Amino acid sequence: MNFLYAAYAATWIIHISYLATLLLRYRRLRKQIEELRRSQ
């Protein structure tokens, strides 16, 4: 049963880290879009 808890925890950690990287990439992309708009 401990393996089940470990797999469940690992799955949530992977999902949360994936969402965090997506959020960081999105913020970086929005910043670049704003910089391009300002430069035009």
Side-chain angles (χ1 to χ4, degrees):
M1 201 64 168
N2 288 337
F3 291 116
L4 181 63
Y5 292 130
Y8 186 75
T11 302
W12 274 107
I13 290 170
I14 290 168
H15 281 96
I16 290 170
S17 62
Y18 178 67
L19 288 174
T21 57
L22 283 180
L23 181 64
L24 290 174
R25 289 179 183 183
Y26 177 74
R27 286 182 180 172
R28 194 176 307 143
L29 181 62
R30 294 291 295 176
K31 187 176 180 182
Q32 289 177 353
I33 290 171
E34 285 299 319
E35 289 175 1
L36 284 173
R37 285 183 181 165
R38 289 179 190 161
S39 66
Q40 289 180 349

